[in-house]
Amino acid sequence: MGNLNSELFAAIDSVASGADEHALAASVQELMGKYRSRVDPEDLVLASDTDVAAYAAYRLPATFTAARSAFETAAASIPDLAPATHLDVGGGMGAAVWAASDAWPSLRSTTVLEQSAPAIALGRRIARRSTAPAVSGSEWRRFRLTGAVPDGPRVDLATMSYVLNELTPRVQEEVVRSLARRAGTVVLIEPGTPEGYARVIAARRQLAEEGLTVAAPCPHGEACPIAPGEDWCHFSERLNRSGVQRRLKFGTLGFEDEKFSFVAATSAPVARPANRVLRHPHKRKGLVSLNLCTTPPGVEERVVSKRQGETYRAARKAEWGDAWPPPEGTGR
Ligand SMILES: C[S@@+](CC[C@H](N)C(=O)[O-])C[C@H]1O[C@@H](n2cnc3c(N)ncnc32)[C@H](O)[C@@H]1O
């Protein structure tokens, strides 16, 4: 299999370079305005070919990067998971389709449910450029969610990336519960905002009530120890911006940081880390301060000093989102 990351980014660049950049820039501004607030569930945000090309150019690299990070963390906590079948709901142009195949090369077949016809057309076109069988052979179905996902064969993996925000609270709950009944493992990703985290934490409880075990990012399956309204659990991934992305977003920086919240829950055995790093570690001379979600459930600031030798060297390498202590054999 080729490098899915570079295959996807090359496909996105060719979409953007084949489109009218002024029209794309106008659509990007409109989409950014809509996504900044809560999306009206009655609104079809990705309505035209220009909208979907604009989304592919300015958002898809970031949602792909966040989804891949969430899937890699989930994969580390569910070591026996080797999914063959995948259902992606609200697939857009396929960010989670590409990301899942990157994290789980065992995938052989993917079905995408999506309400927007232009999104499906572009998602299919981009997917054909992939060397991963579950991406290039992905099946795209036009479907508007108004409650539970439609009945169908059980799947090994179900994903929903940046979609809950566009559904009413009732539909969010019905979709999440139906995915828990339909799939062995469910991974949900939302923007890393207090509201995105609130949707994730509600979904986490519903997945557990349906009998799945919380696998990631949490080090335990009990209630989240973060005090509501005081903080929110989220992670961050840095990605490089292409020239066209910089022009479309009127950004001058060559990179952006995508913040996201997520939950993975499964019926497979889990191997959760003891703790997870919840912030960029604070590294000073001879000291590293780690903000940790812990087992038993809690949030604590742990200071590691140079006197702690091996542990200190590992703490210097620790990053936001990492398991702590690092799993053996990772060199961290
Ligand atoms: C922000 S985009 C995310 C797309 C993709 N999952 C990603 O991560 O890039 C939200 C997607 O959900 C789809 N969507 C929103 N409400 C939906 C509904 N009721 N039924 C089906 N799809 C829906 C939208 O059309 C859009 O493609």
Side-chain angles (χ1 to χ4, degrees):
M1 197 190 293
N3 179 334
L4 288 194
N5 193 346
S6 51
E7 287 174 14
L8 174 63
F9 284 51
I12 292 170
D13 268 358
S14 81
V15 169
S17 54
D20 169 355
E21 213 169 297
H22 287 295
L24 281 191
S27 184
V28 165
Q29 290 308 310
E30 202 178 318
L31 291 174
M32 283 169 82
K34 287 185 177 172
Y35 286 130
R36 230 175 256 134
S37 50
R38 198 181 182 317
V39 173
D40 178 353
E42 295 304 317
D43 194 6
L44 182 64
V45 179
L46 300 175
S48 69
D49 290 340
T50 307
D51 293 338
V52 296
Y55 184 95
Y58 102 95
R59 275 305 283 155
L60 187 49
T63 58
F64 164 81
T65 303
R68 191 183 49 184
S69 173
F71 296 159
E72 282 171 353
T73 304
S77 288
I78 319 170
D80 295 344
L81 181 64
T85 52
H86 174 202
L87 175 68
D88 182 43
V89 178
M93 269 61 71
V97 174
W98 286 77
S101 263
D102 215 16
W104 288 289
S106 56
L107 280 170
R108 287 293 166 268
S109 102
T110 295
T111 303
V112 183
L113 301 181
E114 167 56 53
Q115 65 176 352
S116 157
I120 292 176
L122 185 57
R124 268 199 193 117
R125 205 174 100 206
I126 296 176
R128 273 193 225 111
R129 297 178 58 135
S130 174
T131 48
V135 180
S136 58
S138 51
E139 205 183 302
W140 296 66
R141 291 198 198 139
R142 190 158 183 206
F143 184 83
R144 178 168 169 74
L145 293 158
T146 54
V149 293
D151 286 340
R154 244 187 108 64
V155 289
D156 300 327
L157 174 70
T159 58
M160 199 155 53
S161 144
Y162 292 83
V163 182
L164 289 173
N165 181 38
E166 302 191 19
L167 308 174
T168 64
R170 178 190 61 80
V171 178
Q172 289 176 31
E173 176 163 357
E174 288 183 26
V175 173
V176 168
R177 288 188 186 277
S178 63
L179 290 178
R181 293 191 290 266
R182 179 98 188 259
T185 296
V186 179
V187 189
L188 307 171
I189 302 138
E190 282 289 290
T193 58
E195 299 77 24
Y197 162 71
R199 290 187 289 274
V200 164
I201 213 69
R204 179 187 188 271
R205 194 184 58 249
Q206 292 149 9
L207 293 169
E209 283 169 5
E210 294 296 329
L212 298 186
T213 304
V214 174
C218 324
H220 56 81
E222 293 173 47
C224 177
I226 292 177
E230 282 182 20
D231 201 356
W232 67 101
C233 177
H234 65 293
F235 302 93
S236 182
E237 283 290 335
R238 178 158 292 185
L239 64 146
N240 291 329
R241 282 179 173 161
S242 66
V244 70
Q245 268 182 302
R246 272 203 297 260
R247 291 196 298 277
L248 288 175
K249 296 177 91 168
F250 306 114
T252 48
L253 289 175
F255 65 85
E256 62 190 48
D257 291 318
E258 177 64 15
K259 307 268 170 55
F260 60 99
S261 292
F262 76 100
V263 62
T266 186
S267 54
V270 298
R272 292 181 294 235
N275 313 287
R276 188 164 306 282
V277 181
L278 288 183
R279 286 272 177 280
H280 280 309
H282 194 50
K283 296 172 186 174
R284 287 162 287 162
K285 205 168 182 297
L287 290 177
V288 179
S289 177
L290 299 171
N291 186 256
L292 298 175
C293 185
T294 61
T295 322
V299 176
E300 71 174 59
E301 203 68 30
R302 198 168 296 174
V303 178
V304 181
S305 85
K306 203 167 184 173
R307 282 194 304 261
Q308 287 170 270
E310 198 61 40
T311 308
Y312 173 73
R313 279 189 288 283
R316 295 284 312 172
K317 293 181 191 163
E319 289 176 11
W320 187 357
D322 281 355
W324 181 260
E328 274 176 34
T330 59
R332 280 212 166 149

